Amino acid sequence: MSETHLQKIPLLPKEVLHKFVSDYFNRKHTYQAAVEKHGSPLWILESSVLKEKAGQFSNAFNQYFNKTSFYFAMKSNNHPDVSATLLEYGFGLDVSSGEELKTALALNANDIIFSGPGKTNKELSLAVQHKDRTIILLDSFSELEQLKALVSRSDFTHPVRVGIRLTTNPNGLWRKFGILPEKLLTFWNQVKDLSNIQFKGLQFHSSWNLTPDRQVEFIVLLGTILKNMPEDFNNSIEFIDIGGGYWPEEGEWLQSAGTPEGIYNAAIGKDPGPLDVHYRIPGTPIKTFAQTLFKAIQSHLFPFVNCRICFEPGRWICHSAMQILFMVTDKKANDLVITDAGTNAIGWERFETDYFPILNLSRPSLQENPCHILGSLCTPHDVWGVHLFRR
Ligand SMILES: *Cc1c(COP(=O)(O)O)cnc(C)c1O
């Protein structure tokens, strides 16, 4: 790739950034009081924001669809209070491991979907034990065999409810998820006559959707498959779960090092780019997602199935509901500070490429100054950011 072929990412408009930052400065007393009470560093969960987001998301889709269910993808934030708040709001839970399933069960969730590849026997057994509250989204033919073996000696009055996950992209690393849509008929023939296992629906999921394009593309493909499926199969479908992956509306905020140009420059040994600007790949309002996805589903799927549509939003729901608060423990220069938290609290070296505003709550200002804000871990990659909003 040459420099001239690089896609230019637009700048993050100052007015968008300032509105975002001032909303948090307006709540600074709440944050400061929380740190005084509980100490630093501190994660803070704003349940009201969580509920507001859950409401915005479900309202957007319920405006178009008659039958819906919403499942919070617990892996996007597995703090039990996040799930508990969303359960209160009427969401179900989408779990992707035995630990998440245990958490969901302990929270008394009664509408759980268990998705993800490579489920162990132990995990499947737990799901079977709680089959009144759990739908298993099978990831492969061998997982169906595994489940069949598990329930072969049972005689259930209510069978285990299952769905099947479909592969959205047969190439690259996403091929690890689900079965190919072309294999649906084979799958149906293996599942339709089982007495302890009952097929209920389909799932697919693609991530990082800044627009609905990729989801629509798969819905169109699925329509061509359903068109050729036997009627008893299409009639057995009670739900189609179209997954999560909705990027929050504010779009993707990047440091220059996270832009194609910055990555290119780094690869040829040049500076990634100016540090005093931020970039934004624009997002899509959730209402637009809802309208576009409804149109696609109405044209391509509803001619063949009459079913509930399920959603598995993760980050769209929880992203803006949690903040991390920390303090400066050492000021080594006017533009270099060390904080009492490290980015292991986040889990990856995210802020080297992604831009998240850092606000000095003690000295609020809409003026952003260059400053290395680095954590206390023994690695130079422990970076919170290279700018600070402060007086
Ligand atoms: C990760 C994941 C989600 C949630 O993804 P977000 O991008 O956080 O919305 C939903 N469903 C499945 C199966 C997932 O793996």
Side-chain angles (χ1 to χ4, degrees):
M1 190 162 41
S2 77
E3 205 163 352
T4 49
H5 285 104
L6 293 171
Q7 180 203 353
K8 284 272 184 207
I9 308 279
L11 293 177
L12 169 61
K14 277 272 189 302
E15 61 278 12
V16 173
L17 181 57
H18 286 175
K19 163 88 176 65
F20 183 91
V21 168
S22 45
D23 281 352
Y24 287 102
F25 274 137
N26 289 342
R27 307 212 281 270
K28 80 184 185 101
H29 295 296
T30 313
Y31 301 136
Q32 285 170 321
V35 167
E36 259 163 48
K37 183 163 176 204
H38 301 284
S40 170
L42 184 69
W43 278 109
I44 185 158
L45 169 64
E46 299 179 279
S47 318
S48 57
V49 175
L50 206 53
K51 286 185 188 166
E52 193 185 306
K53 299 305 281 184
Q56 284 170 3
F57 190 91
S58 50
N59 290 342
F61 286 97
N62 284 337
Q63 189 123 54
Y64 294 98
F65 293 94
N66 293 326
K67 292 182 285 179
T68 52
S69 297
F70 301 93
Y71 298 88
F72 172 63
M74 203 193 273
K75 75 149 196 278
S76 301
N77 184 328
N78 65 10
H79 196 291
D81 288 353
V82 172
S83 293
T85 305
L86 292 164
L87 284 172
E88 242 175 71
Y89 195 82
F91 271 45
L93 295 177
D94 165 20
V95 303
S96 57
S97 73
E99 288 306 311
E100 289 185 3
L101 178 56
K102 279 185 215 163
T103 303
L105 292 167
L107 290 169
N108 289 323
N110 56 24
D111 188 6
I112 303 169
I113 49 177
F114 186 10
S115 57
K119 299 180 195 73
T120 64
N121 259 329
K122 221 169 136 184
E123 291 171 327
L124 286 173
S125 304
L126 183 64
V128 170
Q129 224 178 303
H130 297 277
K131 62 186 167 57
D132 54 326
R133 300 156 69 187
T134 312
I135 298 178
I136 301 174
L137 296 176
L138 295 168
D139 207 66
S140 67
F141 284 92
S142 40
E143 208 166 80
L144 174 62
E145 289 309 312
Q146 203 184 341
L147 183 63
K148 269 162 73 177
L150 262 177
V151 300
S152 63
R153 273 186 257 130
S154 314
D155 182 17
F156 297 143
T157 36
H158 299 290
V160 182
R161 295 167 298 158
V162 303
I164 184 80
R165 179 161 180 176
L166 300 171
T167 312
T168 52
N169 185 347
N171 306 309
L173 297 179
W174 276 74
R175 64 191 284 258
K176 81 182 241 189
F177 301 109
I179 66 164
L180 293 171
E182 306 87 278
K183 298 272 175 70
L184 256 186
L185 185 57
T186 317
F187 181 83
W188 175 235
N189 288 329
Q190 294 185 16
V191 81
K192 66 179 175 190
D193 297 324
L194 303 175
S195 59
N196 283 328
I197 296 175
Q198 193 167 34
F199 173 77
K200 294 286 189 186
L202 303 172
Q203 179 212 20
F204 65 88
H205 163 78
S206 63
S207 190
W208 221 281
N209 299 305
L210 284 142
T211 71
D213 296 354
R214 214 162 3 158
Q215 292 152 303
V216 168
E217 199 180 310
F218 188 75
I219 288 165
V220 173
L221 172 77
L222 183 56
T224 64
I225 304 273
L226 294 183
K227 187 170 184 225
N228 295 311
M229 285 298 284
E231 212 170 314
D232 62 341
F233 172 81
N234 286 346
N235 290 339
S236 73
I237 295 180
E238 291 181 11
F239 69 83
I240 293 181
D241 179 342
I242 69 168
Y246 306 87
W247 194 269
E249 194 164 327
E250 57 256 40
E252 192 173 354
W253 294 9
L254 297 166
Q255 310 274 22
S256 48
T259 64
E261 205 171 337
I263 292 166
Y264 177 82
N265 285 344
I268 59 168
K270 280 205 331 200
D271 232 22
L275 286 179
D276 56 340
V277 289
H278 316 297
Y279 300 83
R280 177 180 69 161
I281 307 175
T284 303
I286 203 65
K287 286 182 179 171
T288 309
F289 270 107
Q291 187 185 32
T292 310
L293 290 170
F294 176 71
K295 267 197 208 150
I297 290 171
Q298 191 184 35
S299 319
H300 299 278
L301 305 183
F302 284 163
F304 312 110
V305 295
N306 171 12
C307 71
R308 199 157 43 95
I309 301 297
C310 302
F311 304 85
E312 303 170 346
R315 69 186 102 191
W316 200 96
I317 302 291
C318 64
H319 162 69
S320 51
M322 219 181 220
Q323 324 302 338
I324 187 161
L325 306 172
F326 49 75
M327 301 216 294
V328 168
T329 44
D330 195 0
K331 182 171 171 183
K332 303 189 75 161
N334 268 334
D335 65 348
L336 171 62
V337 300
I338 310 293
T339 63
D340 58 0
T343 51
N344 55 340
I346 303 291
W348 50 309
E349 294 85 358
R350 186 162 185 187
F351 308 117
E352 288 180 88
T353 52
D354 290 30
Y355 170 63
F356 278 66
I358 304 178
L359 281 57
N360 183 333
L361 296 181
S362 322
R363 303 174 63 189
S365 162
L366 289 182
Q367 178 70 40
E368 193 177 32
N369 300 301
C371 181
H372 279 132
I373 301 127
L374 308 175
S376 52
L377 304 179
C378 295
T379 159
H381 294 285
D382 187 12
V383 176
W384 291 108
V386 291
H387 311 91
L388 180 63
F389 283 94
R390 67 126 191 263
R391 248 189 296 127

